[in-house]
Amino acid sequence: MSTPGRPVTITEIAREAGVSVPTVSRVVNGRGDVAAATRERVEALLRARGYRPQRAAAARARTGLLDLVFDDLDSPWAVEILRGVEEVARAAGAGVVVSAVHGSATAARQWLHDLGSRGSDGVLLVTSHVQRDLEPWLQERSVPLVVVDPAGVPPAGVPSVGATNWAGGLAATTHLVGLGHRRTALVGGPPDLLCSRARLDGHRAALESAGLAMDPALVRQGDFHQESGYREARALLELDDPPTAIFAASDQMALGVYEAVRRRGLRVPEDVSVVGFDDLQLAEWASPPLTTVRQPLAEMGAAAARTVLSLADGQEVSGTRVELATSLVVRHSTAPPRR
């Protein structure tokens, strides 16, 4: 219950009505995607409790700022996302405030405090889980949220932009199998990330489609960084029956695989074929140039920025999940296995 003299919040209304905060927000904003019985119950509570919106999204004074929040900023991958966001924001006359919370609760709280001081028009959260208290906090202040490449399934009603990771994993492994590889390994990303699990599932589907069982010994877990690619590839190449091809679930890990192959006295692609994922600029300049799955990172950032700006203007958006297509880019790091 609210304290006497303090305005009631939509979080309290949602709790009493037994619905989510986004549902109450949709009722308050007059949206039609709420069941009639639920709408009547929420509206009755809003009237009874004397709810008054703090600041309606369409009536808010725009600050001309977007908050772009990463877990970490130590990758060219993040720079590509930022490039897409900044391009759209600049065209709209908005600035971008970039933060990295490094998975730290203290850093996240400090960012939230700073966000409240700035009064940004919208928040873009990249490759992160949405904290339980973040969405209600933003809803109370009519600050829209969009998640880019979500770590997990975002809360209902929160728009997200990602890529077709399953299709990308399928294409990478299908390419290797089509070249004749029967011992194809995967160096995947962190298993708690949705994109990592999707790429693994695509890899598995490609093997099964070719009538090949996925050997658990050929599946290793990395963290998308070069060091883990090197470490896991070295372990794979030390097996009694090593793989003839390795699909690394990021371009940075693929470069680590290159180094492990080199230190083993082997060559890419003559001895080991390698496929990456992302198509960062470094992929084209690797030696040999890296075959990889292109993930449209800048386009993902741009699509997310357009969505959050539309929401900040009080506009409706169609659908809550957008997946941009991945595509295989074949260069010179893959070849048929030696007989």
Side-chain angles (χ1 to χ4, degrees):
M1 299 294 287
S2 61
T3 304
R6 180 177 65 79
V8 68
T9 67
I10 62 173
T11 302
E12 293 163 345
I13 295 293
R15 188 181 303 117
E16 290 187 44
V19 298
S20 68
V21 170
T23 297
V24 178
S25 179
R26 287 194 286 270
V27 173
V28 169
N29 292 317
R31 290 175 53 175
D33 50 347
V34 180
T38 301
R39 179 181 298 279
E40 290 176 5
R41 184 167 74 253
V42 171
E43 288 177 340
L45 275 170
L46 291 169
R47 290 191 297 269
R49 301 294 301 279
Y51 174 79
R52 294 290 182 272
Q54 291 187 21
R55 296 160 80 189
R60 293 179 68 222
R62 292 284 293 271
T63 62
L65 290 176
L66 297 179
D67 259 68
L68 177 60
V69 188
F70 295 88
D71 263 3
D72 289 294
L73 273 169
D74 56 354
S75 165
W77 181 96
V79 174
E80 287 297 304
I81 295 285
L82 172 58
R83 185 165 64 85
V85 171
E86 194 278 333
E87 182 177 328
V88 170
R90 176 163 36 86
V96 181
V97 179
V98 181
S99 304
V101 297
H102 307 290
S104 162
T106 301
R109 284 193 298 270
Q110 181 61 50
W111 164 73
L112 204 57
H113 175 270
D114 295 342
L115 174 66
S117 302
R118 283 190 293 273
S120 292
D121 295 327
V123 171
L124 298 164
L125 197 62
V126 185
T127 318
S128 298
H129 293 281
V130 179
Q131 297 172 347
R132 187 172 56 182
D133 57 345
L134 174 59
E135 188 194 2
W137 191 95
L138 295 174
Q139 287 274 356
E140 292 287 355
R141 291 155 181 82
S142 296
V143 178
L145 168 67
V146 176
V147 185
V148 185
D149 202 14
V153 179
V158 174
S160 66
V161 177
T164 54
N165 288 290
W166 182 89
L170 179 76
T173 302
T174 297
H175 171 66
L176 293 170
V177 170
L179 289 172
H181 292 279
R182 295 297 177 264
R183 294 282 291 170
T184 298
L186 169 72
V187 179
D192 61 324
L193 296 184
L194 194 62
C195 62
S196 300
R197 299 196 297 272
R199 291 170 199 178
L200 169 61
D201 288 343
H203 169 74
R204 179 188 294 110
L207 292 176
E208 291 176 351
S209 179
L212 301 171
M214 189 172 74
D215 184 348
L218 297 184
V219 178
R220 309 287 298 190
Q221 176 189 327
D223 60 9
F224 289 145
H225 295 293
Q226 190 164 332
E227 295 81 6
S228 68
Y230 169 75
R231 180 189 68 235
E232 301 306 329
R234 185 178 64 181
L236 287 166
L237 295 174
E238 289 174 352
L239 294 173
D240 291 338
D241 188 9
T244 60
I246 299 176
F247 166 35
S250 79
D251 287 350
Q252 287 181 275
M253 290 198 300
L255 292 188
V257 173
Y258 271 32
E259 182 63 12
V261 171
R262 186 188 68 81
R263 294 194 186 186
R264 189 74 177 174
L266 303 173
R267 292 181 298 167
V268 175
E270 290 84 355
D271 302 299
V272 182
S273 286
V274 180
V275 176
F277 201 108
D278 286 330
D279 196 25
L280 301 175
Q281 288 186 355
L282 57 83
E284 188 174 1
W285 294 100
S287 181
L290 177 66
T291 294
T292 187
V293 175
R294 181 179 185 274
Q295 184 174 202
L297 298 169
E299 292 93 329
M300 288 161 57
R306 285 192 293 267
T307 300
V308 83
L309 286 169
S310 295
L311 291 170
D313 284 336
Q315 300 175 20
E316 296 283 337
V317 297
S318 57
T320 58
R321 173 66 177 171
V322 174
E323 285 195 346
L324 302 185
T326 54
S327 58
L328 183 69
V329 180
V330 179
R331 296 193 177 101
H332 303 298
S333 64
T334 52
R338 285 185 170 180
R339 300 299 179 187

